[in-house]
């Protein structure tokens, strides 16, 4: 069955696109504690960059494709480090704008115990939360064969949903594949109903990705029956749910499953973004849906094996090695 997502696979940038994947979203700096304990008792932190779409863009680039990240940053040291981090890996920052007099968001991780992670966000009134649809150059922001967006952008500021809708609509109008990761964060909703907030955005997307919790919230569950009904209700062409046990994708032709991978996990933050990037990479490679899911799972597994956010985004060589698609060994 022909659909937009099957037409884009393996095709590379179209005539109307100059990168494989274009993203737009929030960027943050993150401080991770060097030891376990309450924040008041920790004196040493490691600094990294973060943000769902930033992570996806970085991982897509590391997986061998051309990516662009768009968004607003504060004119501060953190904002300039975000730009430097992306450019170091070759990510296009044409539409990344440093805003004078504004600041970049920040969050801190807290490890109260070995497996108890808390996060503390300081993003209110950051540059990213001030972005409006009227500020966008849609010809650049939506200029990818795939345009990837997430629910976090829709939730972080008063204009976020309008920004996502404008970019997704422009991308769809120009023939790009629109992918959407729900990325529901209770702390960002502020009492809003995520189903109501995300409904018009999900309706524009060709590909929708959910966690198991999000599938429960939006679809009522993640069984094959829930996914089949969700596919029809959302109006998308490909619906993917990732869980601890692996991933399942629903299309009008039925479900496809791929088992997860067991690896030593040191930091779970960023795993969903790496999964998303692997999914996009698999689609761009033109692989079968089962292999696309396996690549997504492997990308997520590589990410949880490395401490950090942006720095944990996987490289193509490591992901392919985990899949057994290369036999190269350094000795």
């Amino acid at each position: 069955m022909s659909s937009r997502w099957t037409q884009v696979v393996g095709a590379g940038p179209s005539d109307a696109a100059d990168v494989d994947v274009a993203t737009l979203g929030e960027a943050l700096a993150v401080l991770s504690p060097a030891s376990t304990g309450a924040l008041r008792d920790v004196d040493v932190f490691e600094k990294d960059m973060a943000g769902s779409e930033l992570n996806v863009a970085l991982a897509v680039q590391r997986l061998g494709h051309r990516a662009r990240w768009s968004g607003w940053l504060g004119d501060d040291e953190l904002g300039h480090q975000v730009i430097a981090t992306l450019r170091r890996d070759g990510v296009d920052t044409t539409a990344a704008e440093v805003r004078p007099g504004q600041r970049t968001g920040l969050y801190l991780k807290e490890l109260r115990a070995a497996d108890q992670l808390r996060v503390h966000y300081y993003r209110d009134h950051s540059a990213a939360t001030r972005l409006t649809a009227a500020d966008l150059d849609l010809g650049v922001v939506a200029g990818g064969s795939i345009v990837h967006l997430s629910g976090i952008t829709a939730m972080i500021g008063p204009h976020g949903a309008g920004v996502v809708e404008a970019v997704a609509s422009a991308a769809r109008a120009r023939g790009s594949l629109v992918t959407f990761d729900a990325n529901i964060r209770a702390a960002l909703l502020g009492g809003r109903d995520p189903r109501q907030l995300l409904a018009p955005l999900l309706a524009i997307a060709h590909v929708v990705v959910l966690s198991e919790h999000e599938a429960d919230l939006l679809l009522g569950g993640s069984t094959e029956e829930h996914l089949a009904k969700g596919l029809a209700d959302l109006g998308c062409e490909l619906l993917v749910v990732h869980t601890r046990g692996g991933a399942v994708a629903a299309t009008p032709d039925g479900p496809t499953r791929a088992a997860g991978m067991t690896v030593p996990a040191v930091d779970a933050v960023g795993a969903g973004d790496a999964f998303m990037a692997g999914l996009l990479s698999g689609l761009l490679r033109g692989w079968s849906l089962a292999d696309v899911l396996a690549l997504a799972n492997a990308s997520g597994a590589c990410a949880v094996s490395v401490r950090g956010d942006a720095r944990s985004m996987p490289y193509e060589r490591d992901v392919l090695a985990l899949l057994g698609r290369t036999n190269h060994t350094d000795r």
Side-chain angles (χ1 to χ4, degrees):
M1 179 177 180
S2 179
S3 62
R4 186 69 193 93
W5 75 269
T6 57
Q7 292 167 19
V8 78
V9 294
S14 66
D15 292 339
D18 53 353
V19 294
D20 296 299
V21 177
T23 70
L24 175 140
E26 177 190 36
L28 300 145
V30 54
L31 297 178
S32 299
S35 59
T36 302
L39 280 179
R40 71 189 74 177
D41 299 320
V42 177
D43 297 319
V44 179
F45 293 82
E46 296 177 346
K47 182 175 62 175
D48 195 7
M49 300 297 106
S52 180
E53 293 86 354
L54 180 146
N55 288 342
V56 170
L58 191 59
V60 163
Q61 189 77 25
R62 289 180 176 183
L63 290 172
H65 312 284
R66 289 185 286 169
R68 172 183 295 129
W69 177 83
S70 303
W72 277 9
L73 299 159
D75 187 9
D76 50 28
E77 287 299 308
L78 299 179
H80 289 290
Q81 185 173 353
V82 168
I83 297 290
T85 297
L86 292 169
R87 288 178 177 170
R88 181 191 62 209
D89 277 85
V91 175
D92 185 311
T93 57
T94 303
E97 187 172 343
V98 173
R99 303 289 295 176
Q102 297 185 26
R103 60 185 178 83
T104 304
L106 170 73
Y107 89 92
L108 283 76
K109 294 181 182 178
E110 180 180 28
L111 294 171
R112 302 288 294 212
D115 60 348
Q116 294 181 16
L117 173 67
R118 295 181 183 179
V119 293
H120 306 273
Y121 288 97
Y122 301 89
R123 56 163 44 119
D124 290 350
H125 310 298
S126 69
T129 65
R130 298 170 182 262
L131 181 65
T132 73
D135 299 311
L136 301 173
D137 181 347
L138 293 173
V140 178
V141 173
S145 290
I146 298 175
V147 174
H148 174 66
L149 300 159
S150 94
I152 289 179
T153 303
M155 298 176 208
I156 60 170
H159 311 292
V163 167
V164 173
E165 188 167 5
V167 176
S169 297
R172 188 156 184 140
R174 68 185 295 159
S176 299
L177 181 77
V178 179
T179 62
F180 188 79
D181 186 349
N183 256 328
I184 296 173
R185 300 290 185 267
L188 291 177
L189 285 170
R192 294 172 292 180
D193 183 343
R195 289 161 293 196
Q196 185 176 12
L197 177 68
L198 298 182
L201 310 179
L202 294 168
I204 304 174
H206 298 98
V207 178
V208 173
V209 176
L210 308 172
S211 68
E212 190 170 20
H213 170 70
E214 290 161 354
D216 291 340
L217 185 62
L218 298 177
L219 310 178
S222 55
T223 66
E224 292 185 6
E225 291 76 15
H226 286 112
L227 295 183
K229 185 176 185 302
L231 189 72
D233 290 346
L234 296 176
C236 58
E237 298 169 1
L238 176 63
L239 176 59
V240 179
V241 176
H242 55 88
T243 70
R244 288 180 178 271
V248 57
T251 72
D253 295 327
T256 300
R257 293 184 178 274
M261 298 182 174
T262 302
V263 296
V266 298
D267 190 345
V269 176
D273 300 328
F275 176 94
M276 188 74 233
L279 183 79
L280 300 181
S281 177
L283 294 178
L284 288 164
R285 293 167 191 266
W287 288 6
S288 70
L289 188 50
D291 286 342
V292 168
L293 294 180
L295 180 62
N297 285 336
S299 298
C302 284
V304 303
S305 303
V306 178
R307 280 178 55 86
D309 290 56
R311 72 181 56 168
S312 75
M313 291 301 102
Y315 291 90
E316 179 182 35
R317 173 174 170 167
D318 299 323
V319 174
L320 295 182
L322 188 58
L323 288 172
R325 287 181 175 257
T326 176
N327 57 7
H328 178 82
T329 302
D330 288 327
R331 302 180 67 90

